Amino acid sequence: MGQRLNRCLDAPVALPPLRRRLLLLFIMFFLWLYMFYSCAGSCAGLAPRASPAPPPLPELAGSSPEERGAAPETAGPISAFFNGSGTKRLPQAIIIGVKKGGTRALLEFLRVHPDVRAVGAEPHFFDRNYERGLAWYRDLMPRTLEGQITMEKTPSYFVTKEAPARISSMSKGTKLIVVVRDPVTRAISDYTQTLSKKPDIPTFESLTFKNRTTGLIDTSWSAIQIGIYAKHLENWLLYFPIGQILFVSGERLIRDPAGELGRVQDFLGLKRIITDKHFYFNKTKGFPCLKKAEGSSKPHCLGKTKGRTHPDIDQEVVQRLRDFYRPFNMKFYQMTGQDFGWD
């Protein structure tokens, strides 16, 4: 009896085949889970500690969701492990201006391209946040893979005196894009945007002149001053060759978006992927819209803050403004080698 008991205790316990497989799967899963979290923890330990997140930019806090754009991307060790989401890089191309020229439309159109990654919000780094440093600026950028272009747009750079030197200091090879528009129409559009936020502001006509009797234009008013493109361009040409700046026509961007986007893609060294098939003309808004936005299968038009109806402006004032801008426009045509047809 004792010998039989000893033999039973020494014999291996035979498990049914199904239970044996389940046990093996459980052991393998446990080992994989242990290795995964060990790896994630060690990678997080080796990575430099992230600095505290900067407070939200004041200029973005009160803007519409469309103007804010996408929030800067963040990725922890585990999500980065799964996503392989690339690297944050300083931008190789920047849309530097101009306000109310069509910069938002151009950026949204460009984001359709798979090799373009752009931050949606305007960073305002080279005019308002330069003291925060390049590391802060880089952290705002989206993650890119090898071969993709990082971009941002802040239209106020074009009229900021310090911006050219600062961008050149970051990289002399940065490609610059300027979207320009008839300066008279641009000024009225600028005023219309301000009027929508401050209905009690003076009339366009009264703001245009220092003295309406003498016809002296008030060039200190930003709506007028921005449109003196030749003056601002002179500052940029001190730091960048003219061939490194692409001038996009805001008017042609509306009439022929695919044509202008073709020029932009060539300038950026990208394959011409964005074509006529990506656009349709929205008659209600009066400008082209995307048939398919980035990351979506639905049509996409810019929001209600774009395409506002302009107020009626005294035609005598409009003509005086055209006369004022004409010599500056002619000089701008000569500098860029392009006739934008504003006269």
Side-chain angles (χ1 to χ4, degrees):
M1 179 68 178
Q3 291 176 349
R4 283 202 301 268
L5 180 60
N6 288 335
R7 283 198 300 268
C8 289
L9 291 173
D10 292 339
V13 179
L15 293 175
L18 180 59
R19 289 188 180 180
R20 197 160 53 240
R21 289 175 188 164
L22 289 174
L23 181 61
L24 286 172
L25 286 172
F26 177 80
I27 293 171
M28 289 173 65
F29 176 76
F30 179 82
L31 288 173
W32 178 86
L33 200 62
Y34 175 80
M35 292 173 65
F36 174 77
Y37 278 103
S38 296
C39 175
S42 62
C43 292
L46 292 173
R49 290 188 177 180
S51 57
L57 302 184
E59 69 273 12
L60 301 181
S63 58
S64 67
E66 171 197 305
E67 289 168 331
R68 288 196 303 269
E73 299 177 17
T74 57
I78 295 178
S79 61
F81 178 85
F82 280 115
N83 296 336
S85 51
T87 305
K88 293 192 176 190
R89 298 179 176 90
L90 292 169
Q92 297 94 50
I94 303 176
I95 301 174
I96 59 173
V98 300
K99 181 184 179 185
K100 307 309 295 180
T103 59
R104 172 56 61 184
L106 178 61
L107 184 71
E108 293 304 311
F109 295 164
L110 274 174
R111 292 173 80 177
V112 172
H113 201 292
D115 290 332
V116 171
R117 298 285 285 130
V119 59
E122 294 176 4
H124 283 279
F125 175 66
F126 294 104
D127 57 352
R128 303 178 191 173
N129 294 290
Y130 193 64
E131 72 284 352
R132 293 178 181 251
L134 285 173
W136 177 87
Y137 182 50
R138 182 191 287 110
D139 195 52
L140 294 180
M141 298 300 119
R143 296 178 182 275
T144 54
L145 302 174
E146 193 66 33
Q148 290 182 319
I149 292 177
T150 302
M151 291 188 66
E152 70 115 320
K153 78 107 178 171
T154 304
S156 54
Y157 290 163
F158 189 64
V159 297
T160 300
K161 187 176 180 181
E162 299 83 6
R166 290 172 174 177
I167 295 177
S168 176
S169 177
M170 176 187 73
S171 173
K172 294 182 183 298
T174 305
K175 293 185 177 182
L176 308 173
I177 300 175
V178 185
V179 189
V180 287
R181 182 183 183 188
D182 181 333
V184 178
T185 309
R186 197 222 65 81
I188 296 172
S189 181
D190 198 334
Y191 173 80
T192 304
Q193 182 183 53
T194 306
L195 184 65
S196 70
K197 300 174 182 177
K198 301 177 182 178
D200 58 343
I201 61 171
T203 64
F204 180 88
E205 290 84 352
S206 63
L207 291 169
T208 298
F209 299 101
K210 283 186 176 179
N211 187 320
R212 187 165 182 178
T213 304
T214 62
L216 183 63
I217 303 293
D218 187 358
T219 56
S220 66
W221 183 30
S222 63
I224 300 296
Q225 199 257 352
I226 290 172
I228 309 175
Y229 303 139
K231 174 185 174 183
H232 303 302
L233 181 57
E234 285 178 341
N235 190 31
W236 287 90
L237 293 181
L238 296 174
Y239 299 90
F240 293 93
I242 193 71
Q244 211 165 306
I245 308 174
L246 180 70
F247 300 91
V248 174
S249 165
E251 288 82 10
R252 287 197 296 268
L253 192 61
I254 294 174
R255 293 194 310 267
D256 179 22
E260 283 300 279
L261 264 293
R263 294 179 60 240
V264 176
Q265 290 171 95
D266 291 347
F267 175 71
L268 295 175
L270 299 170
K271 182 179 179 181
R272 285 200 178 197
I273 289 177
I274 307 171
T275 61
D276 284 323
K277 68 181 181 182
H278 288 93
F279 302 99
Y280 73 96
F281 191 82
N282 188 307
K283 293 181 180 179
T284 303
K285 288 183 173 290
F287 53 75
C289 300
L290 287 169
K291 290 181 181 177
K292 180 181 177 184
E294 181 190 33
S296 171
S297 59
K298 297 180 180 179
H300 172 66
C301 260
L302 299 180
K304 61 183 181 180
T305 62
K306 307 299 179 182
R308 295 186 183 95
T309 302
H310 291 179
D312 291 328
I313 306 297
D314 186 332
Q315 286 305 300
E316 180 188 351
V317 174
V318 171
Q319 188 55 52
R320 287 197 181 187
L321 272 177
R322 294 206 177 281
D323 294 339
F324 166 77
Y325 279 121
R326 187 169 293 110
F328 296 109
N329 290 345
M330 294 300 107
K331 184 176 181 181
F332 186 67
Y333 296 172
Q334 292 173 356
M335 296 171 76
T336 61
Q338 298 182 52
D339 185 339
F340 292 91
W342 296 326
D343 295 294

